[in-house]
Amino acid sequence: MSKNLCVLLLLALVPIFANACTLTMGYRTSERVPLIQKAPDNSGLYKDLYSKASALINCTLRIVRLPKKRILHAMKDGTIDFYPGFNFSLERQPYTFYVPNGLTTGLKVISLNKSPEVRRIEDMRERSMLVPNGSPTYGAAEKGVIVVVVENLELSRAIEMLEQERADYYQYQSDTIRYYLKRNPNSKIKIHPCCSAEEPMYLGFSKLSPHYQRVDNPKYRSDLALTINNEPDKLLPESLPYKLEKSLKYLDDSGFIDKLEKKYYE
């Protein structure tokens, strides 16, 4: 499909005389560079991406920074429209609809250079692993790993704790880890093969948002587990989250996201 045709299809999603809207993105107060800086600084890839995607559907992006627990509470009552990068969980599914945002990510483990290599979660048995609150652990505790969950744990702080030998390993998003290591070539930190491959990243849109409109998903299988790809809801084509999804898809197909990633990661 040509870029011009993509633009025409995208514009067709927005009524010519549509009233301007506001989409509220919520994020915790801690940083995840280069995606977003520590509050109150909202600059970064997320702001650039979602501002552009919102503008394409005649909306303005508003960014709210609060502690993670308060952001989740705001999503549950619909005062926050979406979280820019959200992991799927059965706990979040009742109030969250997942939309691909065009980015990719994976979870990797880092440690001091002297630590044994970790290829599987079991390789960290009887050792401590730092994990930010809300991050998946893939059953690490059940496999003998001492999981230490820390609220709003930034990468820089986690590295300090590793260097002080207050923990053995730290699990975090691969893109942010690579960004840090590239800019700190003399770091005593190394990245391990564990624990997940690069996968599409999703934003979490609040099902309680006034912008959320749904219809039954005819492809839903109630006999199968709930997943991002097997969920009873489907977005109404006239809804803002549907238009946001198509806007992000256009930015991905047109090469905008690729250029954005090169700007921030290279």
Side-chain angles (χ1 to χ4, degrees), residues 27 32 35-36 44-50 84-85 103 201:
Y27 199 78
R32 187 185 164 191
L35 298 178
I36 194 167
L45 191 153
Y46 275 157
K47 183 179 180 181
D48 290 357
L49 173 60
Y50 289 112
L103 303 173
M201 187 190 294

Side-chain angles (χ1 to χ4, degrees), residues 19-257:
N19 294 322
C21 69
T22 298
L23 283 170
T24 302
M25 181 185 96
Y27 199 78
R28 63 181 190 258
T29 54
S30 56
E31 67 180 25
R32 187 185 164 191
V33 291
L35 298 178
I36 194 167
Q37 297 292 329
K38 187 173 184 177
D41 185 353
N42 297 322
S43 62
L45 191 153
Y46 275 157
K47 183 179 180 181
D48 290 357
L49 173 60
Y50 289 112
S51 293
K52 182 69 172 179
S54 298
L56 286 174
I57 57 173
N58 201 29
C59 290
T60 299
L61 180 70
R62 173 174 172 256
I63 301 176
V64 173
R65 306 293 294 276
L66 294 168
K68 185 69 172 285
K69 289 183 179 180
R70 289 180 62 189
I71 290 290
L72 296 182
H73 180 77
M75 286 189 66
K76 291 177 183 177
D77 66 23
T79 54
I80 294 291
D81 293 315
F82 72 95
Y83 198 88
F86 218 39
N87 295 315
F88 177 85
S89 72
L90 292 177
E91 181 183 357
R92 294 171 176 175
Q93 188 275 337
Y95 64 89
T96 306
F97 189 89
Y98 292 87
V99 174
N101 65 10
L103 303 173
T104 59
T105 190
L107 289 172
K108 294 296 180 183
V109 166
I110 61 172
S111 71
L112 297 177
N113 287 328
K114 65 181 181 179
S115 299
E117 186 173 79
V118 173
R119 292 187 172 275
R120 305 176 305 153
I121 291 176
E122 291 85 344
D123 293 338
M124 294 183 285
R125 184 184 299 274
E126 297 182 358
R127 292 177 178 269
S128 57
M129 179 179 73
L130 295 169
V131 178
N133 186 41
S135 182
T137 62
Y138 302 106
E142 291 76 11
K143 296 174 182 178
V145 182
I146 304 169
V147 177
V148 182
V149 179
V150 181
E151 185 76 24
N152 292 329
L153 180 60
E154 298 176 354
L155 177 60
S156 57
R157 176 56 181 153
I159 288 175
E160 285 181 11
M161 293 178 71
L162 292 177
E163 291 174 341
Q164 295 166 1
E165 299 190 359
R166 295 172 59 187
D168 299 307
Y169 297 97
Y170 175 55
Q171 179 186 271
Y172 202 57
Q173 281 82 1
S174 57
D175 49 350
T176 303
I177 291 172
R178 292 194 193 94
Y179 179 85
Y180 175 88
L181 293 178
K182 185 173 182 178
R183 282 153 182 76
N184 296 273
N186 297 322
S187 172
K188 298 177 182 179
I189 298 298
K190 67 178 179 181
I191 186 169
H192 297 265
C194 185
C195 289
S196 73
E198 294 288 316
E199 298 176 344
M201 187 190 294
Y202 291 80
L203 68 87
F205 204 95
S206 171
K207 291 181 179 179
L208 286 305
S209 163
H211 299 308
Y212 181 76
Q213 294 173 283
R214 66 167 295 281
V215 292
D216 290 339
N217 180 7
K219 296 182 180 179
Y220 171 61
R221 291 276 305 274
S222 59
D223 57 318
L224 299 178
L226 282 169
T227 66
I228 284 178
N229 298 313
N230 185 47
E231 116 104 71
D233 290 359
K234 185 178 178 181
L235 292 173
L236 191 70
E238 293 79 18
S239 69
L240 273 178
Y242 181 90
K243 294 173 183 177
L244 180 62
E245 178 178 10
K246 296 306 176 186
S247 174
L248 290 165
K249 180 70 165 57
Y250 164 71
L251 293 178
D252 191 12
D253 292 342
S254 67
F256 177 86
I257 291 179

